Amino acid sequence: MEILKIKGGARLNGTVKAAGAKNAMTKLLVASLLSDKKCTFYNVPNIGDVEVTVSLCQEIGMKVNWDREAGCMEVVTPELKTAYVPQRFSGSNRIPILMIGALLGRTDQDIIVPTVGGCAIGSRTVDFHIDALRKLGASIEYREMKREGAYFAHAHNGLKGTIIHLPYPSIGATENTILASVTARGMTVIKNAATEPEIIELILFLQKLGANIFYDVDRTICIQGTRRFYEVEHTVIPDRIEAASWGMAAIASKGKVFVEGAQHYNMITFLNKIREVGGGFDIKSNGIEFFYDGPLQGGLHLETDVHPGFMTDWQQPFVVLLTQASGSSVIHETVYENRFGYTEVLGSMGADITLFRQCLGGKECRFNAQSFCHSIIVKGATPLTGKEIKIPDLRAGFAYVMAALLGSGESTISGLHFLDRGYENLAGKLQNLGAEASRIKLEKNSSPTFEEIQKPSIPMVAEAQLA
């Protein structure tokens, strides 16, 4: 077991590089399974979710050469060894369900994937995925197995393009539908699709791979089916969530941090809110510099939304930022119904946060008149104190790290496997920015945790295997 110890009070100063986007790289790996051609990726993040996805893809036949230090990965899947994703990947992340869309056009076997996983931040139904894939001609059913359920899918008669209207612009459902449509006969039109930067990244990669694909301004994505593919070289976009995380930590700590690789275009909505609360930023040619620009002012109203709205994964550290702003601010979460569970720990550290079941905002919300606490009021500025903390999910994890940086005294943070899923070398980056932070491995005197048992090993693959 490892813990992160942080002594609060330091101002973050210096330069930090945003790693490649977790939510892009994991999906690109799955997309490469569509063909038997070599794909070379640059700016690959050395994080847990990529490790798990690599292991998953290797299980079904992918050959991988990953230079972690250089951030370069070569992959090729000449043939599928199996279309069965083992149950040990159940709950590891959200990637297994995307295997259905990627493999339907590549095999006549039954594709078997375990139930979905990820962070416990609310319901993530796969109904949208399944309904869309069925409209393309796939046969999908859920069956109970020995330990947990699994989805069985096949398309023995092939997939056929059609018009699909998603009830909600779900990122995962959009990705799954795109992947299946690439090898479907004819044209597929996806209406009300998600258009996040990571979706556009997937579209760009697939176009390089050989797909005839484009998107329109009204959330419409069109894919003309193909079976002709090419080798690809692709540089992964920087992670806009990590970039924003460092920006908020810099401002809240009254410091100045240049985030190399942060992209202005993909952070417009976030930057508007930073300016609204009184934080400073300066757009450079190769990144964004964030800095404290005087006392922070609350009185902010913020509603999370699908892109181009304010990203739900920016919300948690932004709440910590608001604890340092004078006045009351309102946040209305419209993407996930259970995303404010982390605020209880912030309250025990000194934050003044009140939860509401009502929609505190004008945006249409799926959780209206339900029993979910999906709105909060944050009152600041409040001093925070260090605490022993256990991380419940990835984005709450960075919020706790940020709170520990601001708090008086020392904080001890466990559950680091959540942070490792999305943040590369977090402790090292904190130290380089001047934080008093250290990652400590404790003596192992107990049985392994569930996460340690579930975490698959990633065998290194020789370069010769890619020939």
Side-chain angles (χ1 to χ4, degrees):
M1 177 183 175
E2 291 183 302
I3 60 170
L4 183 64
K5 282 194 173 184
I6 296 177
K7 185 177 181 181
R11 299 186 180 190
L12 300 188
N13 287 286
T15 298
V16 65
K17 184 178 185 297
K22 172 183 84 72
N23 291 334
M25 184 61 211
T26 50
K27 317 302 175 58
L28 297 176
L29 279 169
V30 175
S32 72
L33 293 169
L34 287 165
S35 84
D36 60 357
K37 304 298 184 182
K38 183 175 75 171
C39 299
T40 304
F41 298 104
Y42 304 102
N43 198 33
V44 178
N46 185 14
I47 56 176
D49 263 22
V50 172
E51 288 187 349
V52 171
T53 305
V54 165
S55 183
L56 192 160
C57 292
Q58 286 177 320
E59 189 76 29
I60 63 175
M62 180 181 285
K63 298 178 181 179
V64 181
N65 180 32
W66 185 2
D67 185 337
R68 295 173 187 249
E69 187 173 339
C72 178
M73 183 186 293
E74 291 183 355
V75 305
V76 64
T77 311
E79 59 182 3
L80 298 182
K81 294 191 303 185
T82 178
Y84 169 65
V85 177
Q87 284 287 311
R88 71 174 182 273
F89 289 98
S90 174
S92 57
N93 61 18
R94 295 285 295 174
I95 297 303
I97 194 68
L98 297 181
M99 288 291 182
I100 298 178
L103 298 182
L104 279 171
R106 183 122 196 231
T107 179
D108 291 330
Q109 302 178 46
D110 272 356
I111 301 160
I112 306 172
V113 301
T115 51
V116 296
C119 295
I121 56 177
S123 174
R124 296 185 178 189
T125 179
V126 297
D127 290 351
F128 299 161
H129 299 241
I130 293 172
D131 290 345
L133 295 175
R134 283 174 175 165
K135 288 177 182 176
L136 287 167
S139 174
I140 305 175
E141 62 177 308
Y142 175 82
R143 300 179 193 170
E144 292 291 342
M145 299 183 71
K146 291 181 180 179
R147 290 177 53 197
E148 296 183 41
Y151 296 94
F152 287 67
H154 65 79
H156 293 159
N157 297 320
L159 300 176
K160 186 177 180 180
T162 187
I163 298 176
I164 296 170
H165 193 289
L166 295 176
Y168 179 81
S170 159
I171 295 173
T174 299
E175 291 165 337
N176 225 339
T177 309
I178 290 173
L179 292 172
S181 300
V182 170
T183 55
R185 297 189 305 274
M187 175 73 74
T188 300
V189 178
I190 308 172
K191 299 281 190 179
N192 199 33
T195 59
E196 274 69 10
E198 294 79 14
I199 296 284
I200 306 307
E201 183 82 345
L202 178 63
I203 289 173
L204 294 174
F205 170 79
L206 290 172
Q207 188 179 58
K208 292 178 182 179
L209 192 68
N212 189 346
I213 180 171
F214 69 93
Y215 70 99
D216 211 336
V217 293
D218 62 347
R219 293 191 174 277
T220 298
I221 297 175
C222 300
I223 309 105
Q224 177 67 48
T226 186
R227 295 280 177 154
R228 185 176 183 182
F229 297 109
Y230 305 87
E231 290 191 359
V232 174
E233 289 192 1
H234 190 85
T235 301
V236 183
I237 57 171
D239 197 306
R240 60 191 174 122
I241 306 172
E242 184 190 11
S245 299
W246 291 119
M248 288 181 275
I251 293 168
S253 69
K254 299 182 179 180
K256 179 184 287 188
V257 173
F258 176 69
V259 184
E260 183 183 345
Q263 294 182 333
H264 184 189
Y265 180 75
N266 291 334
M267 302 178 71
I268 293 173
T269 305
F270 168 75
L271 294 173
N272 284 337
K273 290 300 179 183
I274 286 293
R275 185 152 283 165
E276 193 173 335
V277 81
F281 63 86
D282 189 10
I283 309 295
K284 308 287 188 181
S285 62
N286 61 334
I288 303 175
E289 186 173 65
F290 295 90
F291 55 90
Y292 180 71
D293 196 26
L296 301 175
Q297 299 296 321
L300 189 80
H301 184 263
L302 185 155
E303 295 181 275
T304 64
D305 202 356
V306 296
H307 188 76
F310 192 93
M311 192 179 191
T312 182
D313 286 339
W314 290 331
Q315 172 256 109
Q316 300 84 345
F318 204 91
V319 167
V320 179
L321 181 65
L322 289 175
T323 68
Q324 306 306 298
S326 60
S328 298
S329 297
V330 176
I331 295 186
H332 179 209
E333 172 65 49
T334 74
V335 179
Y336 292 119
E337 73 273 21
N338 189 32
R339 199 129 213 205
F340 286 129
Y342 71 94
T343 59
E344 183 178 353
V345 169
L346 295 182
S348 70
M349 298 178 75
D352 187 344
I353 301 174
T354 307
L355 280 72
F356 294 85
R357 290 183 173 84
Q358 296 85 351
C359 295
L360 299 184
K363 191 175 295 296
E364 186 176 344
C365 177
R366 296 177 293 161
F367 315 128
N368 186 27
Q370 298 188 44
S371 59
F372 306 115
C373 292
H374 65 292
S375 296
I376 61 171
I377 292 179
V378 185
K379 295 180 181 178
T382 55
L384 303 178
T385 56
K387 185 178 174 63
E388 187 172 321
I389 302 168
K390 185 174 182 179
I391 296 173
D393 65 72
L394 170 56
R395 302 308 169 188
F398 192 89
Y400 291 163
V401 167
M402 191 167 150
L405 290 169
L406 302 176
S408 60
E410 187 176 78
S411 293
T412 302
I413 303 174
S414 61
L416 301 188
H417 59 279
F418 284 112
L419 281 170
D420 292 341
R421 284 184 54 203
Y423 291 93
E424 180 181 279
N425 187 27
L426 180 63
K429 290 180 178 181
L430 285 169
Q431 292 165 0
N432 290 340
L433 294 175
E436 293 190 51
S438 57
R439 185 161 178 157
I440 301 169
K441 190 168 187 177
L442 301 180
E443 289 291 333
K444 204 163 190 177
N445 55 8
S446 60
S447 300
T449 65
F450 173 78
E451 291 79 13
E452 290 170 327
I453 295 172
Q454 291 293 306
K455 186 175 181 181
S457 60
I458 312 298
M460 294 304 293
V461 180
E463 190 169 354
Q465 290 181 285
L466 290 168

